[in-house]
Amino acid sequence: MKVIDAHMHYGTDAKVASSVCTPYMITGQPDTVIRYLDEQNASHGVLFPHDRIMSPPWDVDYDKANMQVGEAVKKYPDRLVGVARINPTFGKEHTCALIDKYVKEWNCKGLKLVAGYDFYRPNDMKVMGPLMEKAEEYGLTVLFHSGDAPRDLPSLQAIAAKNYPKVNVVLAHAGMHLYLWEAIIAAQDYPNIYVDMSQAFPFDIKIFIEQVSSEKLMYGSDAPYQSAAVEQLKLREIGLTDKQLEQVFRTNAMRIWGIKE
C-alpha cells in the first residue's frame, strides 16, 4: 500500500536544526522532496515551509517560503499538496491577500499555523476570523501545530473549529503527548477536528484511536526532522487492523486534503 505523508516541511533553517533525519531535503530543490516520498513508499505528500522565521529574519510573513512551496507544487502537482505558513497578526487585508495569491498562483490547499512563534491565541477570533473565513471560502484545511503551552493548545484551537464548522482543522502531533487528552476531547467534541500522529508516542496513537476513531487520524513523518521509518513503525506495531492502517496511512488524508487517486 502506498502511503500519504500528511506532515512534511520543505527543509529547515540550519541555525535552528543543524542535524535532521533527512538532511538531503533542501528548500528550493523539489526533486529532494520526491526522493523522500519514493524512499518511504508514499504516493503523495502534504508540504509546508519551515515553521519559524528564518535567521536572520528576511521573510517575516513567510511569503518567500510559501512561494518556494508553490514552485515545488507546480513542478509536481500530482505528488504534492501545498500548504502555506500564515501569521494572521498582520491583519485582515494582508492575510487575505496572501491567501488569495497562494490559491490562485499555485493551488494552495491549506494553511499552517504556529501561534506560539507568532504570538497570538488561536481562540482569538479577531485575529483568526479573517483566515478562517478565507479557508471556508476556498475549502482549505487549517493545520495547527499543537502541544506547546501556552498558545498552541488543542483546547484553544478547538474554538476556531467550533466557530467555523465547515473548515477541516488538523491538530498536528496529537497534542504532543502532554496535551494528548486535550486533542482527544477536541476531536470527540467537534466533527471537523482531525489529528496527525507525527512525533506522537505509540501509546498516544493507540489511545486516540480507542477514544476517538481511526477515521480521524493521519500519518505524518514531520520531515526533515523525524524519521519516516520510525513514524511508520509506530503505526505498524500497535495492533491496528488492515482497515485501520489503510485509513491512517492513506484514505483519511485523501478525504481531508482532497487528494485523488
Side-chain angles (χ1 to χ4, degrees), residues 205-206 209-210 214 217 234-246 248-249:
I205 299 166
K206 190 169 180 126
I209 290 174
E210 289 178 357
S214 57
L217 182 73
K234 293 176 184 179
L235 292 167
R236 301 185 191 280
E237 290 294 312
I238 59 174
L240 301 183
T241 66
D242 289 344
K243 180 180 179 180
Q244 288 174 321
L245 286 170
E246 183 177 10
V248 177
F249 271 127

Side-chain angles (χ1 to χ4, degrees), residues 119-133:
F119 300 101
Y120 63 93
R121 289 179 292 104
N123 62 328
D124 183 350
M125 289 303 105
K126 291 180 181 179
V127 174
M128 288 291 300
L131 179 147
M132 296 297 289
E133 288 168 9

Side-chain angles (χ1 to χ4, degrees), residues 5-21:
D5 190 336
H7 192 122
M8 302 192 310
H9 295 271
Y10 196 5
T12 187
D13 183 346
K15 298 180 181 65
V16 174
S18 60
S19 181
V20 294
C21 290

Side-chain angles (χ1 to χ4, degrees), residues 54-75:
M54 300 293 276
S55 300
W58 56 274
D59 187 22
V60 293
D61 63 356
Y62 306 101
D63 182 49
K64 293 181 179 65
N66 290 330
M67 293 303 289
Q68 288 173 322
V69 169
E71 289 303 315
V73 170
K74 287 193 290 185
K75 184 170 183 180

Side-chain angles (χ1 to χ4, degrees), residues 42-254:
S43 63
H44 301 79
V46 180
L47 183 67
F48 28 87
H50 173 62
D51 276 338
R52 300 170 178 84
I53 296 172
M54 300 293 276
S55 300
W58 56 274
D59 187 22
V60 293
D61 63 356
Y62 306 101
D63 182 49
K64 293 181 179 65
N66 290 330
M67 293 303 289
Q68 288 173 322
V69 169
E71 289 303 315
V73 170
K74 287 193 290 185
K75 184 170 183 180
Y76 293 105
D78 297 330
R79 303 288 304 274
L80 299 177
V81 174
V83 176
R85 174 74 169 86
I86 299 291
N87 176 356
T89 67
F90 280 84
K92 178 177 181 178
E93 183 176 349
H94 187 75
T95 297
C96 292
L98 288 178
I99 297 171
D100 287 338
K101 179 173 76 166
Y102 302 147
V103 170
K104 293 172 183 177
E105 292 191 9
W106 51 266
N107 196 28
C108 176
K109 292 295 187 182
L111 310 173
K112 170 76 184 291
L113 304 172
V114 189
Y117 293 158
D118 297 332
F119 300 101
Y120 63 93
R121 289 179 292 104
N123 62 328
D124 183 350
M125 289 303 105
K126 291 180 181 179
V127 174
M128 288 291 300
L131 179 147
M132 296 297 289
E133 288 168 9
K134 276 293 176 183
E136 183 172 335
E137 175 185 345
Y138 287 122
L140 305 177
T141 295
V142 174
L143 184 144
F144 288 100
H145 170 83
S146 78
D148 286 317
R151 299 177 188 272
D152 296 304
L153 298 181
S155 55
L156 302 181
Q157 295 155 351
I159 303 304
K162 177 183 178 182
N163 278 275
Y164 292 88
K166 294 181 181 179
V167 177
N168 285 338
V169 171
V170 177
L171 309 182
H173 317 303
M176 203 78 83
H177 186 64
L178 287 179
Y179 298 96
L180 168 68
W181 277 95
E182 282 202 10
I184 287 173
I185 293 167
Q188 288 172 335
D189 286 349
Y190 301 106
N192 58 324
I193 288 183
Y194 306 87
V195 308
D196 79 45
M197 47 63 63
S198 59
Q199 294 199 46
F201 294 179
F203 170 83
D204 297 345
I205 299 166
K206 190 169 180 126
I207 293 297
F208 182 90
I209 290 174
E210 289 178 357
Q211 295 292 322
V212 184
S213 169
S214 57
E215 295 181 354
K216 284 205 163 193
L217 182 73
M218 289 179 290
Y219 161 69
S221 70
D222 204 5
Y225 310 105
Q226 310 301 325
S227 161
V230 171
E231 297 300 313
Q232 289 194 25
L233 186 61
K234 293 176 184 179
L235 292 167
R236 301 185 191 280
E237 290 294 312
I238 59 174
L240 301 183
T241 66
D242 289 344
K243 180 180 179 180
Q244 288 174 321
L245 286 170
E246 183 177 10
Q247 288 173 327
V248 177
F249 271 127
R250 186 165 184 85
T251 57
N252 293 342
M254 292 180 66

